Amino acid sequence: MRNSPNVSTTTDDVRAKHLRIKVPTPWLVRFQHLITDGGRVLDMAAGGGRHGRSLLDRAGEVVFIDRDTQALDDLRDHPTATVIEADLESELSPFATNGVLAGECYDAVIVVNYLYRSLLDDIVDALNPGGVLIYETFARGNEAFARPRNPDHLLKSGELLSAVTGRMQVVAYEHGKVEATDIPGVKQRLCAVKDLENSGRDDGDPPVHPLTG
Ligand SMILES: C[S@@+](CC[C@H](N)C(=O)[O-])C[C@H]1O[C@@H](n2cnc3c(N)ncnc32)[C@H](O)[C@@H]1O
């Protein structure tokens, strides 16, 4: 496996564990119906791309970004996949002018088991009107029994809610211990739609979305 020079063994272990999982998280499966058919999807810190891959058939384009794209090499010639190898935590935000994702917008952004909190605002900015954010990663409390334990990689209580408050409609949010899953731990999950401005209602409330597909 190719690595950046300062990637720790611990991080490698966590990544390897994730690469062995081929199916998408049930959180994406549950809310994927909210993603526009033919839309543009960003799978951030994609790893082996299990989430973006599950949407390739119905998305117009899926952009996979990770600092290690070896597990995505088979997608390089795929007509609707774009693979970008980049450090999401470099001094220049990937979304900033001259960043690798500068000026790009998406109908859905999927982030699973990855956190670099400085990017949260940029992620919301990068969503098109009506775009969907599907986020799931480890949260505070996880350190008591499993990796990741670094607080920089663990969401605080309500942190994903705060990231979208006033900017997106929250369709679903959870925070708690999940045991019956491939990688057990304390997780926080959010599904939100950027449609607070799209009201067709007299009271100004945003559109209602089906909770199941
Ligand atoms: C735990 S894995 C999760 C992979 C995938 N999202 C999944 O759920 O299967 C975390 C991923 O984040 C990537 N990653 C970690 N730090 C990164 C950085 N600074 N820039 C880009 N990718 C990074 C790793 O290479 C790894 O593929």
Side-chain angles (χ1 to χ4, degrees):
M1 188 180 294
R2 282 177 293 176
N3 279 328
S4 305
N6 55 4
V7 176
S8 71
T9 308
T10 301
T11 310
D12 276 352
D13 289 350
V14 174
R15 179 180 148 85
K17 209 154 132 184
H18 284 76
L19 287 184
R20 284 195 289 272
I21 306 167
K22 301 295 178 199
V23 293
T25 166
W27 192 247
L28 171 62
V29 174
R30 179 171 169 198
F31 292 109
Q32 62 186 358
H33 62 278
L34 299 180
I35 302 172
T36 312
D37 280 340
R40 207 160 177 240
V41 176
L42 176 64
D43 185 353
M44 282 193 77
R50 61 186 170 127
H51 299 105
R53 285 176 194 272
S54 73
L55 298 170
L56 271 173
D57 284 350
R58 64 180 196 86
E61 181 189 11
V62 181
V63 179
F64 299 84
I65 187 164
D66 201 287
R67 68 180 169 197
D68 181 341
T69 57
Q70 192 177 30
L72 300 166
D73 278 347
D74 62 299
L75 292 173
R76 298 246 175 223
D77 295 325
H78 191 286
T80 58
T82 301
V83 176
I84 301 175
E85 186 163 295
D87 180 1
L88 292 166
E89 299 168 28
S90 69
E91 215 171 295
L92 179 69
S93 162
F95 297 100
T97 310
N98 299 327
V100 284
L101 303 176
E104 302 292 328
C105 286
Y106 304 92
D107 299 299
V109 177
I110 298 155
V111 193
V112 179
N113 297 331
Y114 175 75
L115 176 65
Y116 183 54
R117 42 177 53 87
S118 311
L119 292 178
L120 288 172
D121 259 5
D122 288 340
I123 290 171
V124 177
D125 285 344
L127 281 162
N128 284 322
V132 183
L133 174 61
I134 294 180
Y135 209 128
E136 170 183 305
T137 196
F138 298 95
R140 302 277 161 106
N142 194 69
E143 73 284 351
F145 62 98
R147 290 193 293 240
R149 294 192 164 91
N150 181 341
D152 288 346
H153 301 152
L154 299 175
L155 286 160
K156 299 173 205 168
S157 171
E159 190 169 0
L160 289 176
L161 284 177
S162 303
V164 302
T165 297
R167 304 187 67 197
M168 300 184 74
Q169 176 183 187
V170 174
V171 173
Y173 172 80
E174 294 183 350
H175 179 129
K177 194 167 166 184
V178 188
E179 283 174 302
T181 182
D182 31 30
I183 311 239
V186 177
K187 307 260 178 102
Q188 192 172 125
R189 298 167 165 154
L190 175 94
C191 172
V193 182
K194 197 173 177 182
D195 61 0
L196 292 181
E197 317 289 317
N198 295 1
S199 181
R201 292 169 51 100
D202 293 342
D203 61 7
D205 247 35
V208 172
H209 299 287
L211 290 176
T212 51

